[in-house]
Amino acid sequence: MRASATLIMAVSIVLGTAGLSKAATLNTMDDVGAAIRACWTPPSGVKNSTVTLSFSFKRDGTLIGPPRPTAIHVQGDAKARKSFVDAATSALAQCLPLTFSPTLAKGIGGTVFTLQFASK
């Protein structure tokens, strides 16, 4: 999987989906998505919207730098857009640090992930 040294994880995260707590040891990327999903609550009043964040983890479960929004499709004005992006960034920050299993930690450091946060 060295084609571009970028692993894309496209996970649609919706309000009300159960996930793992951040204290749990995460063994797979599905576990990582579920852990982050558990922290996500879209801002009220914003429907049918998405923001995709790109970010990289260190092996210790923290981020390498801040997440970057790479695609934003938010219904409403600039205030609604900012609120939605801020909520996604905050959800990610609130979940950290994640606890990776030794096997997952070995391969995760520096890999770029893309995660989509969505509202219904």
Side-chain angles (χ1 to χ4, degrees):
M1 293 198 179
R2 175 109 167 84
S4 68
T6 301
L7 178 62
I8 298 176
M9 174 180 66
V11 178
S12 182
I13 299 178
V14 295
L15 178 63
T17 303
L20 301 172
S21 77
K22 70 180 179 180
T25 298
L26 307 174
N27 297 302
T28 68
M29 289 314 301
D30 286 342
D31 292 347
V32 172
I36 296 170
R37 184 173 29 261
C39 298
W40 169 237
T41 302
S44 62
V46 181
K47 304 285 184 199
N48 301 317
S49 297
T50 63
V51 63
T52 302
L53 299 179
S54 292
F55 52 91
S56 297
F57 289 107
K58 297 178 187 176
R59 290 180 180 186
D60 67 2
T62 61
L63 292 182
I64 300 172
R68 291 179 311 127
T70 56
I72 303 169
H73 301 285
V74 176
Q75 303 295 316
D77 59 11
K79 183 178 177 182
R81 177 182 163 119
K82 181 180 179 343
S83 174
F84 200 88
V85 172
D86 289 348
T89 302
S90 292
L92 182 59
Q94 290 170 11
C95 282
L96 301 178
L98 296 175
T99 304
F100 301 132
S101 68
T103 302
L104 185 58
K106 187 176 7 174
I108 207 166
T111 302
V112 177
F113 296 96
T114 303
L115 186 64
Q116 185 180 67
F117 295 78
S119 66
K120 288 186 173 184

